[in-house]
Short mmCIF file of all heavy atoms in Angstrom, two decimals:
data_model
loop_
_atom_site.label_atom_id
_atom_site.label_comp_id
_atom_site.label_asym_id
_atom_site.label_seq_id
_atom_site.Cartn_x
_atom_site.Cartn_y
_atom_site.Cartn_z
N PHE A 1 5.76 -9.74 -4.01
CA PHE A 1 5.85 -8.50 -3.24
C PHE A 1 5.50 -7.30 -4.11
O PHE A 1 4.73 -6.42 -3.70
CB PHE A 1 7.27 -8.36 -2.67
CG PHE A 1 7.47 -7.12 -1.86
CD1 PHE A 1 6.99 -7.02 -0.55
CD2 PHE A 1 8.14 -6.03 -2.39
CE1 PHE A 1 7.17 -5.87 0.19
CE2 PHE A 1 8.33 -4.87 -1.66
CZ PHE A 1 7.84 -4.79 -0.36
N GLN A 2 6.05 -7.27 -5.32
CA GLN A 2 5.78 -6.14 -6.22
C GLN A 2 4.31 -6.11 -6.65
O GLN A 2 3.69 -5.04 -6.73
CB GLN A 2 6.68 -6.23 -7.45
CG GLN A 2 8.16 -6.03 -7.17
CD GLN A 2 8.46 -4.68 -6.55
OE1 GLN A 2 7.76 -3.69 -6.78
NE2 GLN A 2 9.51 -4.63 -5.73
N ASP A 3 3.74 -7.29 -6.92
CA ASP A 3 2.32 -7.36 -7.29
C ASP A 3 1.45 -6.83 -6.14
O ASP A 3 0.45 -6.13 -6.38
CB ASP A 3 1.91 -8.80 -7.62
CG ASP A 3 2.50 -9.28 -8.94
OD1 ASP A 3 3.01 -8.44 -9.71
OD2 ASP A 3 2.46 -10.50 -9.18
N TYR A 4 1.82 -7.21 -4.93
CA TYR A 4 1.05 -6.73 -3.77
C TYR A 4 1.17 -5.22 -3.63
O TYR A 4 0.17 -4.53 -3.38
CB TYR A 4 1.51 -7.41 -2.49
CG TYR A 4 0.86 -6.80 -1.27
CD1 TYR A 4 -0.50 -6.98 -1.01
CD2 TYR A 4 1.59 -5.99 -0.40
CE1 TYR A 4 -1.11 -6.39 0.08
CE2 TYR A 4 0.99 -5.39 0.70
CZ TYR A 4 -0.36 -5.59 0.93
OH TYR A 4 -0.96 -5.00 1.99
N ILE A 5 2.37 -4.68 -3.81
CA ILE A 5 2.59 -3.24 -3.70
C ILE A 5 1.72 -2.49 -4.70
O ILE A 5 1.05 -1.49 -4.35
CB ILE A 5 4.08 -2.89 -3.94
CG1 ILE A 5 4.95 -3.39 -2.78
CG2 ILE A 5 4.26 -1.37 -4.12
CD1 ILE A 5 4.76 -2.65 -1.50
N GLN A 6 1.69 -2.97 -5.94
CA GLN A 6 0.89 -2.30 -6.97
C GLN A 6 -0.60 -2.34 -6.62
O GLN A 6 -1.31 -1.34 -6.74
CB GLN A 6 1.13 -2.96 -8.32
CG GLN A 6 2.52 -2.71 -8.88
CD GLN A 6 2.75 -3.42 -10.21
OE1 GLN A 6 1.83 -4.01 -10.79
NE2 GLN A 6 3.98 -3.38 -10.70
N ASP A 7 -1.06 -3.50 -6.20
CA ASP A 7 -2.47 -3.65 -5.83
C ASP A 7 -2.81 -2.78 -4.62
O ASP A 7 -3.85 -2.11 -4.59
CB ASP A 7 -2.78 -5.11 -5.54
CG ASP A 7 -4.21 -5.33 -5.09
OD1 ASP A 7 -5.13 -5.08 -5.88
OD2 ASP A 7 -4.40 -5.73 -3.93
N ALA A 8 -1.92 -2.79 -3.62
CA ALA A 8 -2.17 -2.01 -2.40
C ALA A 8 -2.19 -0.52 -2.70
O ALA A 8 -2.98 0.24 -2.11
CB ALA A 8 -1.11 -2.33 -1.36
N GLN A 9 -1.32 -0.08 -3.59
CA GLN A 9 -1.26 1.34 -3.95
C GLN A 9 -2.58 1.78 -4.59
O GLN A 9 -3.11 2.85 -4.28
CB GLN A 9 -0.11 1.57 -4.92
CG GLN A 9 0.27 3.03 -5.10
CD GLN A 9 1.58 3.20 -5.83
OE1 GLN A 9 2.07 2.27 -6.47
NE2 GLN A 9 2.20 4.36 -5.70
N THR A 10 -3.12 0.92 -5.45
CA THR A 10 -4.40 1.24 -6.09
C THR A 10 -5.52 1.30 -5.05
O THR A 10 -6.34 2.22 -5.05
CB THR A 10 -4.74 0.18 -7.15
OG1 THR A 10 -3.71 0.15 -8.14
CG2 THR A 10 -6.08 0.49 -7.82
N ARG A 11 -5.54 0.32 -4.15
CA ARG A 11 -6.58 0.29 -3.13
C ARG A 11 -6.43 1.43 -2.11
O ARG A 11 -7.42 1.93 -1.59
CB ARG A 11 -6.58 -1.07 -2.42
CG ARG A 11 -7.09 -2.19 -3.31
CD ARG A 11 -7.24 -3.53 -2.62
NE ARG A 11 -5.97 -4.12 -2.23
CZ ARG A 11 -5.52 -4.20 -0.99
NH1 ARG A 11 -6.26 -3.74 0.03
NH2 ARG A 11 -4.35 -4.75 -0.72
N LEU A 12 -5.19 1.84 -1.88
CA LEU A 12 -4.95 3.00 -0.99
C LEU A 12 -5.58 4.26 -1.59
O LEU A 12 -6.26 5.03 -0.89
CB LEU A 12 -3.45 3.20 -0.80
CG LEU A 12 -3.00 4.44 0.02
CD1 LEU A 12 -3.52 4.36 1.45
CD2 LEU A 12 -1.48 4.56 0.01
N GLN A 13 -5.39 4.43 -2.89
CA GLN A 13 -5.96 5.61 -3.57
C GLN A 13 -7.48 5.56 -3.60
O GLN A 13 -8.14 6.61 -3.57
CB GLN A 13 -5.39 5.69 -5.00
CG GLN A 13 -3.90 5.97 -5.05
CD GLN A 13 -3.31 5.77 -6.45
OE1 GLN A 13 -4.00 5.27 -7.35
NE2 GLN A 13 -2.06 6.16 -6.62
N ASN A 14 -8.02 4.35 -3.63
CA ASN A 14 -9.49 4.19 -3.70
C ASN A 14 -10.13 3.97 -2.33
O ASN A 14 -11.31 3.64 -2.24
CB ASN A 14 -9.84 3.01 -4.62
CG ASN A 14 -9.43 3.25 -6.06
OD1 ASN A 14 -9.40 4.39 -6.53
ND2 ASN A 14 -9.09 2.19 -6.77
N HIS A 15 -9.31 4.13 -1.27
CA HIS A 15 -9.80 3.96 0.11
C HIS A 15 -10.42 2.58 0.32
O HIS A 15 -11.49 2.43 0.90
CB HIS A 15 -10.84 5.05 0.46
CG HIS A 15 -10.35 6.44 0.20
ND1 HIS A 15 -9.39 7.05 0.97
CD2 HIS A 15 -10.66 7.34 -0.78
CE1 HIS A 15 -9.14 8.27 0.51
NE2 HIS A 15 -9.90 8.47 -0.56
N GLN A 16 -9.70 1.55 -0.15
CA GLN A 16 -10.21 0.18 -0.08
C GLN A 16 -9.27 -0.74 0.70
O GLN A 16 -9.31 -1.97 0.52
CB GLN A 16 -10.40 -0.38 -1.50
CG GLN A 16 -11.51 0.32 -2.29
CD GLN A 16 -11.58 -0.17 -3.71
OE1 GLN A 16 -10.59 -0.66 -4.28
NE2 GLN A 16 -12.75 -0.07 -4.32
N LEU A 17 -8.45 -0.18 1.57
CA LEU A 17 -7.54 -1.02 2.35
C LEU A 17 -8.32 -1.86 3.37
O LEU A 17 -9.38 -1.44 3.85
CB LEU A 17 -6.50 -0.16 3.09
CG LEU A 17 -5.48 0.57 2.21
CD1 LEU A 17 -4.52 1.36 3.09
CD2 LEU A 17 -4.72 -0.42 1.34
N LYS A 18 -7.79 -3.03 3.70
CA LYS A 18 -8.42 -3.89 4.69
C LYS A 18 -8.07 -3.41 6.10
O LYS A 18 -7.04 -2.75 6.29
CB LYS A 18 -7.93 -5.33 4.50
CG LYS A 18 -8.32 -5.93 3.17
CD LYS A 18 -7.83 -7.36 3.05
CE LYS A 18 -8.25 -7.98 1.73
NZ LYS A 18 -7.78 -9.37 1.59
N PRO A 19 -8.90 -3.73 7.08
CA PRO A 19 -8.57 -3.37 8.46
C PRO A 19 -7.21 -3.94 8.86
O PRO A 19 -6.93 -5.12 8.64
CB PRO A 19 -9.70 -4.01 9.27
CG PRO A 19 -10.84 -4.14 8.33
CD PRO A 19 -10.22 -4.40 6.99
N GLY A 20 -6.34 -3.09 9.40
CA GLY A 20 -5.03 -3.54 9.84
C GLY A 20 -3.97 -3.52 8.76
O GLY A 20 -2.80 -3.83 9.02
N GLU A 21 -4.35 -3.15 7.54
CA GLU A 21 -3.39 -3.10 6.43
C GLU A 21 -2.68 -1.75 6.47
O GLU A 21 -3.29 -0.70 6.20
CB GLU A 21 -4.14 -3.29 5.10
CG GLU A 21 -3.26 -3.77 3.98
CD GLU A 21 -4.08 -4.15 2.75
OE1 GLU A 21 -5.30 -3.88 2.71
OE2 GLU A 21 -3.49 -4.71 1.82
N ASP A 22 -1.40 -1.75 6.79
CA ASP A 22 -0.65 -0.51 6.99
C ASP A 22 0.15 -0.19 5.73
O ASP A 22 1.25 -0.69 5.52
CB ASP A 22 0.29 -0.67 8.19
CG ASP A 22 0.89 0.66 8.64
OD1 ASP A 22 0.60 1.68 7.99
OD2 ASP A 22 1.65 0.67 9.62
N ILE A 23 -0.42 0.65 4.88
CA ILE A 23 0.22 1.04 3.61
C ILE A 23 0.39 2.56 3.61
O ILE A 23 -0.57 3.30 3.82
CB ILE A 23 -0.66 0.65 2.39
CG1 ILE A 23 -1.18 -0.77 2.53
CG2 ILE A 23 0.10 0.85 1.09
CD1 ILE A 23 -0.13 -1.84 2.47
N ARG A 24 1.62 3.01 3.37
CA ARG A 24 1.88 4.45 3.37
C ARG A 24 2.77 4.83 2.20
O ARG A 24 3.53 4.01 1.69
CB ARG A 24 2.56 4.86 4.68
CG ARG A 24 1.73 4.54 5.92
CD ARG A 24 2.50 4.83 7.19
NE ARG A 24 1.77 4.38 8.38
CZ ARG A 24 2.24 4.45 9.61
NH1 ARG A 24 3.44 4.94 9.84
NH2 ARG A 24 1.51 4.00 10.62
N THR A 25 2.67 6.08 1.77
CA THR A 25 3.55 6.62 0.74
C THR A 25 4.49 7.62 1.40
O THR A 25 4.03 8.58 2.05
CB THR A 25 2.74 7.31 -0.36
OG1 THR A 25 1.78 6.38 -0.89
CG2 THR A 25 3.64 7.81 -1.47
N ASP A 26 5.81 7.40 1.24
CA ASP A 26 6.76 8.30 1.91
C ASP A 26 6.93 9.58 1.11
O ASP A 26 6.30 9.79 0.07
CB ASP A 26 8.10 7.60 2.16
CG ASP A 26 8.83 7.22 0.87
OD1 ASP A 26 8.46 7.77 -0.20
OD2 ASP A 26 9.76 6.41 0.93
N SER A 27 7.83 10.46 1.57
CA SER A 27 8.01 11.78 0.95
C SER A 27 8.54 11.69 -0.48
O SER A 27 8.40 12.62 -1.27
CB SER A 27 8.97 12.62 1.80
OG SER A 27 10.21 11.95 1.98
N ASN A 28 9.15 10.53 -0.82
CA ASN A 28 9.67 10.35 -2.17
C ASN A 28 8.67 9.63 -3.09
O ASN A 28 9.01 9.28 -4.21
CB ASN A 28 10.97 9.53 -2.12
CG ASN A 28 12.07 10.27 -1.38
OD1 ASN A 28 12.26 11.47 -1.57
ND2 ASN A 28 12.80 9.56 -0.52
N GLY A 29 7.47 9.39 -2.55
CA GLY A 29 6.44 8.75 -3.35
C GLY A 29 6.52 7.24 -3.38
O GLY A 29 5.78 6.59 -4.12
N ARG A 30 7.40 6.65 -2.57
CA ARG A 30 7.53 5.20 -2.52
C ARG A 30 6.52 4.62 -1.54
O ARG A 30 6.30 5.17 -0.47
CB ARG A 30 8.95 4.79 -2.11
CG ARG A 30 9.99 5.07 -3.18
CD ARG A 30 11.37 4.71 -2.69
NE ARG A 30 11.71 5.45 -1.48
CZ ARG A 30 12.96 5.81 -1.16
NH1 ARG A 30 13.96 5.50 -1.94
NH2 ARG A 30 13.19 6.47 -0.04
N VAL A 31 5.94 3.47 -1.93
CA VAL A 31 4.95 2.82 -1.09
C VAL A 31 5.67 1.96 -0.05
O VAL A 31 6.57 1.18 -0.39
CB VAL A 31 3.99 1.95 -1.92
CG1 VAL A 31 3.00 1.23 -1.02
CG2 VAL A 31 3.25 2.81 -2.93
N GLN A 32 5.28 2.09 1.19
CA GLN A 32 5.85 1.29 2.27
C GLN A 32 4.74 0.47 2.91
O GLN A 32 3.65 0.99 3.16
CB GLN A 32 6.51 2.18 3.33
CG GLN A 32 7.69 2.97 2.79
CD GLN A 32 8.32 3.86 3.86
OE1 GLN A 32 7.61 4.45 4.68
NE2 GLN A 32 9.63 3.96 3.85
N VAL A 33 5.01 -0.80 3.15
CA VAL A 33 4.03 -1.68 3.77
C VAL A 33 4.61 -2.26 5.05
O VAL A 33 5.81 -2.46 5.16
CB VAL A 33 3.60 -2.83 2.83
CG1 VAL A 33 3.04 -2.28 1.54
CG2 VAL A 33 4.75 -3.77 2.56
N SER A 34 3.74 -2.49 6.02
CA SER A 34 4.18 -3.12 7.28
C SER A 34 2.98 -3.79 7.92
O SER A 34 1.84 -3.55 7.56
CB SER A 34 4.80 -2.08 8.22
OG SER A 34 3.84 -1.09 8.57
N GLY A 35 3.27 -4.63 8.91
CA GLY A 35 2.21 -5.27 9.67
C GLY A 35 1.85 -6.65 9.17
O GLY A 35 2.18 -7.06 8.04
N GLN A 36 1.15 -7.36 10.02
CA GLN A 36 0.81 -8.76 9.78
C GLN A 36 -0.12 -8.94 8.59
O GLN A 36 0.02 -9.90 7.83
CB GLN A 36 0.18 -9.34 11.04
CG GLN A 36 0.05 -10.84 11.05
CD GLN A 36 -0.47 -11.35 12.37
OE1 GLN A 36 -1.34 -10.75 12.97
NE2 GLN A 36 0.06 -12.47 12.85
#
């Protein structure tokens, strides 16, 4: 889970998320993931 969060955070910054990949950063800077 942590490895995925780190990878997703990097791809979020580089605009490389996959279709349907719901990754967000909340007001405290924490990464939140959801969806299939």
Side-chain angles (χ1 to χ4, degrees):
F1 180 78
Q2 293 300 331
D3 289 347
Y4 172 70
I5 290 290
Q6 291 178 7
D7 177 64
Q9 194 168 17
T10 300
R11 289 186 292 107
L12 175 63
Q13 294 168 352
N14 295 330
H15 307 288
Q16 294 175 334
L17 293 181
K18 296 181 178 180
E21 202 172 9
D22 192 358
I23 314 293
R24 300 174 187 176
T25 304
D26 65 16
S27 56
N28 296 317
R30 289 177 302 211
V31 178
Q32 297 179 322
V33 303
S34 62
Q36 192 175 39

